[in-house]
């Protein structure tokens, strides 16, 4: 019997917040089943997710990022591009790619806001773990095609 493996990709932009998603994820899925990959930011996640999914080593890939309005670029465009890329990675490889990519409307680097989002990422990490378990279980229940039908 093979053990289910997960890849967890974390954007390092606002790592003090984003890493909390991994904390929540590991409350449900044992660390021994997870390989962790850090990428510079959210924009780098789809490529990494695609490569990890295509490797055949993982039953699901989970990606976490915090995309905030820095006043320089359209953060909503970045966030949408990231989510679209993650969806494409999953569809292209046939491996579930789950997103814990959050884009708050209003974030200020204050202790209050940081605390709120750190706690929220723990919750989102737990939810991602439940989703990963659910999709892996659902896919395991799919009828298998026979070799002669292929």
């Amino acid at each position: 019997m093979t053990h289910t493996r997960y890849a967890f990709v974390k954007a390092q932009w606002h790592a003090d917040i984003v890493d909390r998603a991994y904390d929540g994820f590991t409350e449900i899925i044992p660390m021994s089943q997870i390989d962790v990959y850090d990428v510079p930011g959210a924009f780098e996640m789809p490529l990494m997710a695609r490569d990890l999914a295509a490797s055949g080593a993982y039953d699901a890939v989970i990606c976490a990022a915090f995309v905030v309005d820095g006043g320089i670029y359209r953060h909503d465009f970045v966030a949408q591009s990231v989510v679209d890329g993650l969806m494409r990675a999953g569809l292209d490889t046939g491996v579930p790619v789950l997103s814990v990519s959050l884009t708050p409307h209003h974030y200020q680097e204050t202790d209050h806001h940081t605390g709120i989002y750190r706690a929220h990422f723990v919750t989102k990490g737990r939810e991602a773990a439940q989703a990963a378990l659910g999709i892996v279980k659902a896919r395991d229940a799919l009828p298998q095609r026979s070799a002669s039908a292929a």
Side-chain angles (χ1 to χ4, degrees), residues 75-99:
H75 70 289
D76 51 342
F77 167 78
V78 171
Q80 188 63 53
S81 296
V82 168
V83 171
D84 287 349
L86 295 177
M87 180 59 71
R88 182 173 153 209
L91 292 172
D92 288 353
T93 63
V95 174
V97 176
L98 307 176
S99 173

PDB file of all heavy atoms in Angstrom, residues 75-99:
ATOM      1  N   HIS A  75      -3.075  44.237  -7.725  1.00  0.00           N
ATOM      2  CA  HIS A  75      -2.995  42.974  -6.990  1.00  0.00           C
ATOM      3  C   HIS A  75      -4.116  42.019  -7.376  1.00  0.00           C
ATOM      4  O   HIS A  75      -3.929  40.807  -7.353  1.00  0.00           O
ATOM      5  CB  HIS A  75      -2.979  43.224  -5.481  1.00  0.00           C
ATOM      6  CG  HIS A  75      -4.267  43.725  -4.924  1.00  0.00           C
ATOM      7  ND1 HIS A  75      -4.742  44.988  -5.169  1.00  0.00           N
ATOM      8  CD2 HIS A  75      -5.185  43.108  -4.144  1.00  0.00           C
ATOM      9  CE1 HIS A  75      -5.900  45.137  -4.560  1.00  0.00           C
ATOM     10  NE2 HIS A  75      -6.189  44.024  -3.920  1.00  0.00           N
ATOM     11  N   ASP A  76      -5.267  42.547  -7.759  1.00  0.00           N
ATOM     12  CA  ASP A  76      -6.350  41.667  -8.168  1.00  0.00           C
ATOM     13  C   ASP A  76      -6.000  40.936  -9.462  1.00  0.00           C
ATOM     14  O   ASP A  76      -6.340  39.770  -9.640  1.00  0.00           O
ATOM     15  CB  ASP A  76      -7.674  42.420  -8.297  1.00  0.00           C
ATOM     16  CG  ASP A  76      -7.582  43.686  -9.148  1.00  0.00           C
ATOM     17  OD1 ASP A  76      -6.465  44.196  -9.369  1.00  0.00           O
ATOM     18  OD2 ASP A  76      -8.645  44.173  -9.572  1.00  0.00           O
ATOM     19  N   PHE A  77      -5.263  41.587 -10.358  1.00  0.00           N
ATOM     20  CA  PHE A  77      -4.792  40.939 -11.581  1.00  0.00           C
ATOM     21  C   PHE A  77      -3.818  39.822 -11.243  1.00  0.00           C
ATOM     22  O   PHE A  77      -3.895  38.720 -11.796  1.00  0.00           O
ATOM     23  CB  PHE A  77      -4.133  41.959 -12.512  1.00  0.00           C
ATOM     24  CG  PHE A  77      -3.351  41.330 -13.628  1.00  0.00           C
ATOM     25  CD1 PHE A  77      -3.995  40.825 -14.739  1.00  0.00           C
ATOM     26  CD2 PHE A  77      -1.968  41.228 -13.558  1.00  0.00           C
ATOM     27  CE1 PHE A  77      -3.277  40.221 -15.769  1.00  0.00           C
ATOM     28  CE2 PHE A  77      -1.248  40.637 -14.576  1.00  0.00           C
ATOM     29  CZ  PHE A  77      -1.909  40.125 -15.682  1.00  0.00           C
ATOM     30  N   VAL A  78      -2.891  40.093 -10.340  1.00  0.00           N
ATOM     31  CA  VAL A  78      -1.917  39.072  -9.934  1.00  0.00           C
ATOM     32  C   VAL A  78      -2.647  37.885  -9.318  1.00  0.00           C
ATOM     33  O   VAL A  78      -2.401  36.732  -9.674  1.00  0.00           O
ATOM     34  CB  VAL A  78      -0.873  39.648  -8.959  1.00  0.00           C
ATOM     35  CG1 VAL A  78       0.001  38.541  -8.379  1.00  0.00           C
ATOM     36  CG2 VAL A  78      -0.016  40.697  -9.647  1.00  0.00           C
ATOM     37  N   ALA A  79      -3.553  38.157  -8.391  1.00  0.00           N
ATOM     38  CA  ALA A  79      -4.279  37.081  -7.724  1.00  0.00           C
ATOM     39  C   ALA A  79      -5.059  36.238  -8.723  1.00  0.00           C
ATOM     40  O   ALA A  79      -5.045  35.003  -8.652  1.00  0.00           O
ATOM     41  CB  ALA A  79      -5.207  37.655  -6.661  1.00  0.00           C
ATOM     42  N   GLN A  80      -5.751  36.870  -9.661  1.00  0.00           N
ATOM     43  CA  GLN A  80      -6.516  36.123 -10.657  1.00  0.00           C
ATOM     44  C   GLN A  80      -5.604  35.289 -11.551  1.00  0.00           C
ATOM     45  O   GLN A  80      -5.913  34.140 -11.857  1.00  0.00           O
ATOM     46  CB  GLN A  80      -7.358  37.077 -11.520  1.00  0.00           C
ATOM     47  CG  GLN A  80      -8.315  36.347 -12.440  1.00  0.00           C
ATOM     48  CD  GLN A  80      -9.348  35.547 -11.681  1.00  0.00           C
ATOM     49  OE1 GLN A  80     -10.029  36.071 -10.820  1.00  0.00           O
ATOM     50  NE2 GLN A  80      -9.457  34.269 -11.979  1.00  0.00           N
ATOM     51  N   SER A  81      -4.468  35.853 -11.936  1.00  0.00           N
ATOM     52  CA  SER A  81      -3.512  35.110 -12.761  1.00  0.00           C
ATOM     53  C   SER A  81      -2.993  33.884 -12.026  1.00  0.00           C
ATOM     54  O   SER A  81      -2.842  32.808 -12.615  1.00  0.00           O
ATOM     55  CB  SER A  81      -2.334  36.010 -13.146  1.00  0.00           C
ATOM     56  OG  SER A  81      -2.779  37.070 -13.956  1.00  0.00           O
ATOM     57  N   VAL A  82      -2.724  34.035 -10.741  1.00  0.00           N
ATOM     58  CA  VAL A  82      -2.220  32.923  -9.936  1.00  0.00           C
ATOM     59  C   VAL A  82      -3.271  31.818  -9.839  1.00  0.00           C
ATOM     60  O   VAL A  82      -2.980  30.643 -10.087  1.00  0.00           O
ATOM     61  CB  VAL A  82      -1.790  33.400  -8.535  1.00  0.00           C
ATOM     62  CG1 VAL A  82      -1.537  32.232  -7.602  1.00  0.00           C
ATOM     63  CG2 VAL A  82      -0.548  34.276  -8.648  1.00  0.00           C
ATOM     64  N   VAL A  83      -4.490  32.171  -9.497  1.00  0.00           N
ATOM     65  CA  VAL A  83      -5.542  31.168  -9.359  1.00  0.00           C
ATOM     66  C   VAL A  83      -5.810  30.490 -10.695  1.00  0.00           C
ATOM     67  O   VAL A  83      -5.971  29.265 -10.764  1.00  0.00           O
ATOM     68  CB  VAL A  83      -6.818  31.789  -8.750  1.00  0.00           C
ATOM     69  CG1 VAL A  83      -7.979  30.811  -8.803  1.00  0.00           C
ATOM     70  CG2 VAL A  83      -6.554  32.211  -7.310  1.00  0.00           C
ATOM     71  N   ASP A  84      -5.844  31.261 -11.784  1.00  0.00           N
ATOM     72  CA  ASP A  84      -6.023  30.666 -13.114  1.00  0.00           C
ATOM     73  C   ASP A  84      -4.883  29.695 -13.425  1.00  0.00           C
ATOM     74  O   ASP A  84      -5.106  28.606 -13.953  1.00  0.00           O
ATOM     75  CB  ASP A  84      -6.075  31.750 -14.193  1.00  0.00           C
ATOM     76  CG  ASP A  84      -7.365  32.546 -14.183  1.00  0.00           C
ATOM     77  OD1 ASP A  84      -8.327  32.157 -13.495  1.00  0.00           O
ATOM     78  OD2 ASP A  84      -7.389  33.601 -14.865  1.00  0.00           O
ATOM     79  N   GLY A  85      -3.655  30.089 -13.105  1.00  0.00           N
ATOM     80  CA  GLY A  85      -2.492  29.232 -13.362  1.00  0.00           C
ATOM     81  C   GLY A  85      -2.529  27.955 -12.541  1.00  0.00           C
ATOM     82  O   GLY A  85      -2.167  26.878 -13.028  1.00  0.00           O
ATOM     83  N   LEU A  86      -2.963  28.057 -11.293  1.00  0.00           N
ATOM     84  CA  LEU A  86      -3.062  26.863 -10.453  1.00  0.00           C
ATOM     85  C   LEU A  86      -4.126  25.910 -10.984  1.00  0.00           C
ATOM     86  O   LEU A  86      -3.920  24.690 -11.029  1.00  0.00           O
ATOM     87  CB  LEU A  86      -3.356  27.250  -9.005  1.00  0.00           C
ATOM     88  CG  LEU A  86      -2.261  28.041  -8.291  1.00  0.00           C
ATOM     89  CD1 LEU A  86      -2.715  28.421  -6.890  1.00  0.00           C
ATOM     90  CD2 LEU A  86      -0.948  27.275  -8.246  1.00  0.00           C
ATOM     91  N   MET A  87      -5.254  26.464 -11.409  1.00  0.00           N
ATOM     92  CA  MET A  87      -6.307  25.624 -11.987  1.00  0.00           C
ATOM     93  C   MET A  87      -5.802  24.943 -13.253  1.00  0.00           C
ATOM     94  O   MET A  87      -6.017  23.744 -13.462  1.00  0.00           O
ATOM     95  CB  MET A  87      -7.549  26.462 -12.298  1.00  0.00           C
ATOM     96  CG  MET A  87      -8.689  25.660 -12.908  1.00  0.00           C
ATOM     97  SD  MET A  87      -9.284  24.305 -11.874  1.00  0.00           S
ATOM     98  CE  MET A  87     -10.115  25.206 -10.590  1.00  0.00           C
ATOM     99  N   ARG A  88      -5.105  25.685 -14.075  1.00  0.00           N
ATOM    100  CA  ARG A  88      -4.561  25.115 -15.316  1.00  0.00           C
ATOM    101  C   ARG A  88      -3.566  24.005 -15.009  1.00  0.00           C
ATOM    102  O   ARG A  88      -3.547  22.968 -15.677  1.00  0.00           O
ATOM    103  CB  ARG A  88      -3.907  26.209 -16.152  1.00  0.00           C
ATOM    104  CG  ARG A  88      -3.370  25.703 -17.453  1.00  0.00           C
ATOM    105  CD  ARG A  88      -2.881  26.825 -18.330  1.00  0.00           C
ATOM    106  NE  ARG A  88      -1.861  26.297 -19.205  1.00  0.00           N
ATOM    107  CZ  ARG A  88      -0.868  26.990 -19.682  1.00  0.00           C
ATOM    108  NH1 ARG A  88      -0.746  28.272 -19.382  1.00  0.00           N
ATOM    109  NH2 ARG A  88       0.009  26.447 -20.473  1.00  0.00           N
ATOM    110  N   ALA A  89      -2.715  24.203 -13.993  1.00  0.00           N
ATOM    111  CA  ALA A  89      -1.734  23.176 -13.622  1.00  0.00           C
ATOM    112  C   ALA A  89      -2.445  21.879 -13.248  1.00  0.00           C
ATOM    113  O   ALA A  89      -2.020  20.787 -13.648  1.00  0.00           O
ATOM    114  CB  ALA A  89      -0.866  23.674 -12.465  1.00  0.00           C
ATOM    115  N   GLY A  90      -3.524  21.991 -12.485  1.00  0.00           N
ATOM    116  CA  GLY A  90      -4.268  20.796 -12.107  1.00  0.00           C
ATOM    117  C   GLY A  90      -4.945  20.127 -13.293  1.00  0.00           C
ATOM    118  O   GLY A  90      -4.897  18.903 -13.446  1.00  0.00           O
ATOM    119  N   LEU A  91      -5.572  20.926 -14.138  1.00  0.00           N
ATOM    120  CA  LEU A  91      -6.259  20.365 -15.296  1.00  0.00           C
ATOM    121  C   LEU A  91      -5.277  19.755 -16.295  1.00  0.00           C
ATOM    122  O   LEU A  91      -5.542  18.701 -16.872  1.00  0.00           O
ATOM    123  CB  LEU A  91      -7.109  21.438 -15.973  1.00  0.00           C
ATOM    124  CG  LEU A  91      -8.314  21.921 -15.157  1.00  0.00           C
ATOM    125  CD1 LEU A  91      -8.971  23.119 -15.857  1.00  0.00           C
ATOM    126  CD2 LEU A  91      -9.307  20.802 -14.939  1.00  0.00           C
ATOM    127  N   ASP A  92      -4.129  20.403 -16.484  1.00  0.00           N
ATOM    128  CA  ASP A  92      -3.142  19.894 -17.444  1.00  0.00           C
ATOM    129  C   ASP A  92      -2.473  18.603 -16.980  1.00  0.00           C
ATOM    130  O   ASP A  92      -2.096  17.769 -17.795  1.00  0.00           O
ATOM    131  CB  ASP A  92      -2.061  20.945 -17.721  1.00  0.00           C
ATOM    132  CG  ASP A  92      -2.561  22.104 -18.566  1.00  0.00           C
ATOM    133  OD1 ASP A  92      -3.707  22.055 -19.057  1.00  0.00           O
ATOM    134  OD2 ASP A  92      -1.796  23.085 -18.731  1.00  0.00           O
ATOM    135  N   THR A  93      -2.314  18.443 -15.679  1.00  0.00           N
ATOM    136  CA  THR A  93      -1.599  17.265 -15.159  1.00  0.00           C
ATOM    137  C   THR A  93      -2.522  16.178 -14.631  1.00  0.00           C
ATOM    138  O   THR A  93      -2.091  15.048 -14.449  1.00  0.00           O
ATOM    139  CB  THR A  93      -0.648  17.670 -14.018  1.00  0.00           C
ATOM    140  OG1 THR A  93      -1.416  18.200 -12.932  1.00  0.00           O
ATOM    141  CG2 THR A  93       0.388  18.679 -14.493  1.00  0.00           C
ATOM    142  N   GLY A  94      -3.768  16.522 -14.336  1.00  0.00           N
ATOM    143  CA  GLY A  94      -4.678  15.553 -13.752  1.00  0.00           C
ATOM    144  C   GLY A  94      -4.474  15.349 -12.261  1.00  0.00           C
ATOM    145  O   GLY A  94      -5.054  14.449 -11.669  1.00  0.00           O
ATOM    146  N   VAL A  95      -3.662  16.184 -11.644  1.00  0.00           N
ATOM    147  CA  VAL A  95      -3.415  16.119 -10.202  1.00  0.00           C
ATOM    148  C   VAL A  95      -4.091  17.336  -9.563  1.00  0.00           C
ATOM    149  O   VAL A  95      -3.886  18.459 -10.026  1.00  0.00           O
ATOM    150  CB  VAL A  95      -1.902  16.121  -9.898  1.00  0.00           C
ATOM    151  CG1 VAL A  95      -1.632  16.204  -8.406  1.00  0.00           C
ATOM    152  CG2 VAL A  95      -1.243  14.875 -10.488  1.00  0.00           C
ATOM    153  N   PRO A  96      -4.866  17.142  -8.508  1.00  0.00           N
ATOM    154  CA  PRO A  96      -5.505  18.281  -7.869  1.00  0.00           C
ATOM    155  C   PRO A  96      -4.491  19.307  -7.371  1.00  0.00           C
ATOM    156  O   PRO A  96      -3.508  18.951  -6.714  1.00  0.00           O
ATOM    157  CB  PRO A  96      -6.260  17.661  -6.687  1.00  0.00           C
ATOM    158  CG  PRO A  96      -6.435  16.224  -7.051  1.00  0.00           C
ATOM    159  CD  PRO A  96      -5.239  15.865  -7.876  1.00  0.00           C
ATOM    160  N   VAL A  97      -4.716  20.563  -7.713  1.00  0.00           N
ATOM    161  CA  VAL A  97      -3.902  21.673  -7.224  1.00  0.00           C
ATOM    162  C   VAL A  97      -4.857  22.600  -6.486  1.00  0.00           C
ATOM    163  O   VAL A  97      -5.770  23.165  -7.083  1.00  0.00           O
ATOM    164  CB  VAL A  97      -3.180  22.410  -8.374  1.00  0.00           C
ATOM    165  CG1 VAL A  97      -2.426  23.616  -7.836  1.00  0.00           C
ATOM    166  CG2 VAL A  97      -2.226  21.458  -9.103  1.00  0.00           C
ATOM    167  N   LEU A  98      -4.642  22.727  -5.191  1.00  0.00           N
ATOM    168  CA  LEU A  98      -5.537  23.498  -4.335  1.00  0.00           C
ATOM    169  C   LEU A  98      -4.892  24.823  -3.958  1.00  0.00           C
ATOM    170  O   LEU A  98      -3.681  24.897  -3.759  1.00  0.00           O
ATOM    171  CB  LEU A  98      -5.868  22.701  -3.079  1.00  0.00           C
ATOM    172  CG  LEU A  98      -6.415  21.294  -3.336  1.00  0.00           C
ATOM    173  CD1 LEU A  98      -6.613  20.555  -2.028  1.00  0.00           C
ATOM    174  CD2 LEU A  98      -7.701  21.350  -4.122  1.00  0.00           C
ATOM    175  N   SER A  99      -5.720  25.843  -3.826  1.00  0.00           N
ATOM    176  CA  SER A  99      -5.215  27.183  -3.544  1.00  0.00           C
ATOM    177  C   SER A  99      -5.639  27.681  -2.171  1.00  0.00           C
ATOM    178  O   SER A  99      -6.809  27.610  -1.810  1.00  0.00           O
ATOM    179  CB  SER A  99      -5.733  28.155  -4.606  1.00  0.00           C
ATOM    180  OG  SER A  99      -5.384  29.480  -4.273  1.00  0.00           O
TER     181      SER A  99
END
